[in-house]
Amino acid sequence: MNVGLVGLGTVGRALASWLADSGFQVKAVSSRNRTSAEKFATQLGAKSLPPEQVAAASHLLFITTSDDAISEVCGNIARHGFGNCQAVFHLSGALSSLALAPAEKAGLGAASIHPLGSFTDFQQARKLLPQCWFTIEGNERGLFWAERVLTRLGAKFRQLSKEKKPLYHLAAVFASNYLVSLLAVAAEIWEDLGLEPDEGLWQLAEGTLANIRNDGIFHSLTGPVKRGDLETVALHKEALAKRPRALELYCQLGLVALDLSEDLTEEQKQKMALLLRKETFQ
Ligand SMILES: NC(=O)c1ccc[n+]([C@@H]2O[C@H](COP(=O)([O-])OP(=O)(O)OC[C@H]3O[C@@H](n4cnc5c(N)ncnc54)[C@H](OP(=O)(O)O)[C@@H]3O)[C@@H](O)[C@H]2O)c1
């Protein structure tokens, strides 16, 4: 099966390498930066060509550009024709296969194949991709080919409808991007105390994630909100008086924690909710 890729960033290069190592013929690749595309193509034994020629040389085309460029790249290729290409894929989590409308209009399979991972560089992405869950969505033909590719790669995947993609993706943002943001708040406070995050903070976070995996969300929550410890929460709020953004986050997440605190009485819950919503610190 001949495959081609347009967009040789972190994920595009890692995917191309994984496909090649799994027996797919990566025939041609393309990227805006022609020098690095040629270098990468040589390493892979592929050709570096303009996008429309990549499509013509491939049965399956992966548009692995940044999200903003997917529609434009697909539209530009459509103007030249897709040749023998059977299906076009993109890897965006938020966008649906509608971003590939010109391919669908030309009678091709069109699908989004989203790897549920956080990829920071080529080496890390190449290692992580085969362990990821993938979420696929698309037209019938696109799904057919997406399933064939992922099965051959030995990847775990499930299907989702177009309409659910934004919700799906924002849940992933909570679990990854905003987890990083949350830990950045904790690390900043830690460093202000003269401590390194390596001195216990990362271990705490890793232990919490391990607890969630092993015992589930409800069983993993500990801390003052769950205990109904009003004085401790008041003390925390006071300590955050000069950090309004962290205070707001603390209170909002405290309310989420309160929803998970099943052992508290209604009265304890009400008092805690009041304290978390209160703007003063007493
Ligand atoms: N990174 C992640 O954690 C992650 C996770 C899941 C899914 N994804 C998805 O994977 C896709 C690629 O993301 P990425 O992280 O690999 O992004 P990236 O590292 O920024 O790479 C995107 C590449 O697209 C190329 N490009 C942009 N516009 C182009 C155009 N008009 N024609 C040809 N090439 C173009 C750029 O090429 P040049 O370098 O040559 O300019 C760039 O290297 C996106 O759809 C993203 O949503 C990413």
Side-chain angles (χ1 to χ4, degrees):
M1 185 66 53
N2 294 346
V3 301
L5 294 95
V6 177
L8 297 174
T10 305
V11 182
R13 283 184 298 136
L15 178 65
S17 160
W18 186 24
L19 287 163
D21 291 347
S22 305
F24 288 87
Q25 299 295 315
V26 181
K27 283 285 175 189
V29 292
S30 185
S31 210
R32 273 181 318 201
N33 184 329
R34 284 180 58 184
T35 314
S36 73
E38 269 160 28
K39 195 173 158 200
F40 184 74
T42 307
Q43 286 165 5
L44 219 60
K47 284 183 180 159
S48 167
L49 298 170
E52 64 278 7
Q53 290 181 31
V54 174
S58 315
H59 297 119
L60 302 174
L61 175 70
F62 294 84
I63 300 181
T64 47
T65 61
S66 38
D67 288 6
D68 288 355
I70 294 169
S71 283
E72 191 190 327
V73 167
C74 189
N76 287 340
I77 295 172
R79 275 188 274 286
H80 292 85
F82 286 96
N84 286 328
C85 195
Q86 301 292 309
V88 183
F89 308 120
H90 72 66
L91 274 71
S92 166
L95 299 180
S96 74
S97 55
L98 289 177
L100 304 171
E104 179 157 25
K105 207 169 159 199
L108 274 68
S112 60
I113 301 183
H114 180 239
L116 196 53
S118 173
F119 309 107
T120 51
D121 61 59
F122 168 72
Q123 296 292 352
Q124 180 259 17
R126 177 63 189 89
K127 207 168 140 192
L128 204 60
L129 264 181
Q131 300 159 32
C132 281
W133 273 93
F134 285 73
T135 307
I136 59 172
E137 162 286 317
N139 65 14
E140 202 180 328
R141 209 163 158 205
L143 286 172
F144 169 82
W145 284 108
E147 283 180 20
R148 275 191 74 167
V149 170
L150 291 172
T151 303
R152 180 147 166 206
L153 287 170
K156 301 169 284 210
F157 64 91
R158 71 276 212 231
Q159 201 183 315
L160 211 66
S161 67
K162 277 184 190 46
E163 299 69 35
K164 289 189 175 149
K165 279 212 78 178
L167 260 186
Y168 152 81
H169 190 245
L170 75 84
V173 166
F174 270 121
S176 176
N177 313 153
Y178 288 2
L179 182 60
V180 173
S181 313
L182 188 62
L183 290 176
V185 175
E188 190 185 309
I189 295 172
W190 209 251
E191 279 162 0
D192 286 352
L193 293 169
L195 300 166
E196 289 296 324
D198 261 342
E199 295 177 282
L201 194 65
W202 294 158
Q203 199 181 344
L204 175 66
E206 282 162 10
T208 306
L209 281 178
N211 289 345
I212 291 171
R213 269 205 99 131
N214 295 333
D215 304 323
I217 288 276
F218 279 94
H219 203 66
S220 301
L221 183 70
T222 58
V225 172
K226 181 182 167 129
R227 288 191 295 269
D229 211 337
L230 296 166
E231 279 185 27
T232 305
V233 172
L235 205 63
H236 288 171
K237 285 187 67 179
E238 207 178 323
L240 285 171
K242 291 203 175 113
R243 301 172 196 260
R245 207 163 59 162
L247 175 62
E248 196 183 336
L249 204 54
Y250 178 93
C251 292
Q252 287 299 326
L253 290 172
L255 289 168
V256 177
L258 194 55
D259 287 342
L260 298 173
S261 305
E262 289 178 323
D263 294 339
L264 296 183
T265 63
E266 270 317 302
E267 191 189 347
Q268 281 178 306
K269 281 189 182 180
Q270 275 175 18
K271 281 185 178 164
M272 186 59 80
L274 203 64
L275 177 59
L276 287 165
R277 289 198 179 105
K278 211 160 56 169
E279 280 174 21
T280 56
F281 303 109
Q282 301 79 36

